[in-house]
Amino acid sequence: MSEAYFPVGPGLGPEENFLSLDDILMSQEKLPGRAESALPRLAFALGQGAGADSGDSIPEGSKLEIPLWLAKGLHDSKRRIISMELPKIYKEAWRTVFSADANVVDLHKMGPYYYGFGSQLLNFDNPENPEIAQTILQNAYNEDTSALVARLDELERALFRAGQKGLNDFQCWEKGQASQITASSLVQNYGKRKFTDMDG
Amino acid sequence: MAGERAAGLVRELHRAAGGHLPPFRAEGLRQALEEMRALYERNQADVSEAKSGRTDLIFLIRFRHCCLLRNQRCVVAYLYDRLLRIRALRWEYGSILPNAIQFHMSAEEVEWFNRYKKSLATYMRSVGGEEGLDLTQDIKPPKSLYIEVRCLKDYGEFEIDDGTTVLLKKNSQHFLPRWKCEQLIRQGVLEHVLL
């Protein structure tokens, strides 16, 4: 990893960092909801019912799937427009599955931003919020990092990487390499890239 | 779906790991800004209609506003993250960037880099007494004044302070003052050999 590049990290809990690339991609994830009143179809060119005439409206009560950023923007505590539901994996049944061993569940497949997304859900008034918060907290602190990093979601991967880097740095120091000036990894990556460009 | 292009920019940047700077997507940026302009114009028109009684438009206006904010966020984050990467380049590469990298930067970014360089230089001169302090040196705590280095690539002639030149050929080893070599080591030309 480049030593001088410090990107804006993801926000903590229900807050997002405006400039964080991680948070932006996380809020692209879709979640299910319902229209609380008739909504003009033009707005939702989401591929819901191709072939609808323009000027038609989505009837009240129909199901929608919209990205988190839109859900947050349209959500009104008086709930006039849309109401958001908990996606399946945050519901009761799945929560008990997750409290099992980390190896059991392929979290990345469920949604690469399970923890961040879950924290965002706390923004919508939902009676199950306290339970969700509990589950997220439990699992996030469980540092039982499985050998297959591919099954962890982004937060866990970041934790894993941080732990790994710490370990590597310590070993480096032990070997007396801390004072050895090294080629910048950034520069090395540029070198490699150029090589492949020339090939193909 | 609105905001897709802008999110695409962010996604590509996020994928470039390790602070690597991908080429500047001027076209993608232009399209995102174009989308914003169109949304804004439609909203302007609708707002005056809504004020004169058409309350059914309010949802649409709100929706477009959300999209505008989303696009703005993606675009700003994209540009900002690129600047963070460019700033890292000054610290890792030095003040002169290879052409391959400059090629990936927009004109404004090159301008920003030059101004940052100047800012940094002014600051370094003001710190640490008369000659100033080079902060980009000694990133790792130094153990000695001179270090043993091995040359990894053919670089050519290299002059050190007392006037003597050294020929840097691949695999040659030299005992050189630390401060002269640090840049070259970071660029991968020399390799610091621990005795």
Side-chain angles (χ1 to χ4, degrees):
Chain A
M1 291 287 135
S2 164
E3 297 101 1
Y5 167 59
F6 304 107
V8 178
L12 293 172
E15 292 305 314
E16 283 186 56
N17 276 341
F18 186 81
L19 292 171
S20 160
L21 300 186
D22 278 303
D23 275 343
I24 291 178
L25 292 177
M26 183 260 295
S27 51
Q28 280 290 109
E29 300 277 318
K30 298 211 161 104
L31 65 156
R34 244 170 49 100
E36 290 293 333
S37 52
L39 307 172
R41 190 180 288 282
L42 278 177
F44 290 94
L46 287 165
Q48 267 152 14
D53 341 296
S54 56
D56 214 3
S57 53
I58 300 177
E60 175 173 344
S62 48
K63 295 213 179 259
L64 301 168
E65 230 185 53
I66 63 174
L68 182 71
W69 59 268
L70 192 56
K72 281 171 91 169
L74 294 176
H75 179 79
D76 189 330
S77 46
K78 293 180 227 139
R79 287 196 279 135
R80 274 176 304 138
I81 312 170
I82 48 171
S83 65
M84 304 313 297
E85 277 172 19
L86 268 190
K88 276 186 303 198
I89 32 175
Y90 296 94
K91 285 204 159 99
E92 189 62 53
W94 275 106
R95 289 209 298 271
T96 39
V97 175
F98 287 138
S99 53
D101 190 23
N103 281 318
V104 172
V105 180
D106 186 349
L107 204 54
H108 199 90
K109 198 165 64 171
M110 297 295 161
Y113 291 96
Y114 183 73
Y115 294 124
F117 198 68
S119 306
Q120 294 303 314
L121 286 178
L122 299 174
N123 279 329
F124 303 112
D125 325 307
N126 187 305
E128 292 178 65
N129 274 348
E131 287 81 22
I132 302 173
Q134 278 285 46
T135 329
I136 292 173
L137 201 61
Q138 261 174 29
N139 285 331
Y141 281 129
N142 178 14
E143 282 174 52
D144 172 22
T145 54
S146 49
L148 310 156
V149 183
R151 296 162 119 219
L152 307 177
D153 99 326
E154 292 295 318
L155 177 67
E156 287 167 335
R157 281 189 191 176
L159 282 171
F160 183 72
R161 275 198 294 264
Q164 210 179 27
K165 179 163 196 307
L167 194 62
N168 282 342
D169 283 346
F170 177 67
Q171 286 177 337
C172 241
W173 175 81
E174 270 193 314
K175 292 191 242 171
Q177 274 176 7
S179 51
Q180 185 184 34
I181 315 174
T182 47
S184 147
S185 49
L186 189 65
V187 176
Q188 286 178 327
N189 284 336
Y190 272 112
K192 283 188 207 140
R193 221 163 262 269
K194 266 215 299 232
F195 202 65
T196 51
D197 275 2
M198 282 178 353
D199 280 353
Chain B
M1 182 69 210
E4 271 309 317
R5 259 175 291 268
L9 288 174
V10 168
R11 205 168 280 134
E12 185 203 359
L13 195 61
H14 188 252
R15 240 182 264 140
H20 175 85
L21 189 73
F24 185 73
R25 298 277 171 233
E27 183 55 28
L29 197 66
R30 195 192 60 78
Q31 285 176 348
L33 292 175
E34 179 58 39
E35 186 179 309
M36 286 176 76
R37 202 190 50 79
L39 285 168
Y40 183 72
E41 277 177 10
R42 269 183 254 151
N43 256 7
Q44 285 287 74
D46 279 355
V47 157
S48 35
E49 282 205 31
K51 278 208 266 214
S52 48
R54 283 195 62 189
T55 48
D56 56 325
L57 286 176
I58 291 187
F59 169 77
L60 217 51
I61 293 172
R62 187 163 176 170
F63 175 83
R64 285 199 207 106
H65 190 70
C66 281
C67 296
L68 273 168
L69 290 176
R70 180 63 174 180
N71 272 329
Q72 179 196 39
R73 178 183 184 187
C74 290
V75 168
V76 170
Y78 175 72
L79 294 172
Y80 184 70
D81 196 78
R82 283 183 65 91
L83 286 184
L84 289 179
R85 292 175 197 230
I86 293 174
R87 182 178 70 176
L89 288 176
R90 168 61 186 91
W91 288 88
E92 308 232 351
Y93 250 106
S95 20
I96 308 186
L97 296 180
N99 276 329
I101 301 184
Q102 285 212 8
F103 204 56
H104 285 190
M105 303 186 347
S106 71
E108 290 86 2
E109 287 175 339
V110 172
E111 165 82 25
W112 187 88
F113 181 77
N114 289 334
R115 278 198 250 156
Y116 180 75
K117 256 193 333 192
K118 218 177 287 182
S119 234
L120 185 64
T122 317
Y123 176 69
M124 294 200 289
R125 260 201 305 276
S126 70
V127 176
E130 271 192 9
E131 331 90 46
L133 181 65
D134 187 357
L135 293 167
T136 59
Q137 292 276 28
D138 294 334
I139 302 278
K140 302 229 174 106
K143 291 283 162 99
S144 57
L145 278 182
Y146 277 70
I147 49 173
E148 184 78 24
V149 290
R150 182 185 303 125
C151 200
L152 295 174
K153 303 184 212 168
D154 278 333
Y155 187 73
E157 303 241 312
F158 187 54
E159 183 167 339
I160 38 181
D161 292 333
D162 55 2
T164 51
T165 46
V166 175
L167 180 60
L168 296 176
K169 261 185 83 78
K170 189 162 179 185
N171 284 329
S172 61
Q173 262 182 259
H174 308 275
F175 192 58
L176 297 174
R178 186 192 184 84
W179 58 93
K180 283 250 94 149
C181 311
E182 189 150 1
Q183 271 288 317
L184 289 176
I185 296 179
R186 269 223 287 286
Q187 287 175 19
V189 174
L190 296 175
E191 180 190 15
H192 185 186
V193 178
L194 286 177
L195 298 164

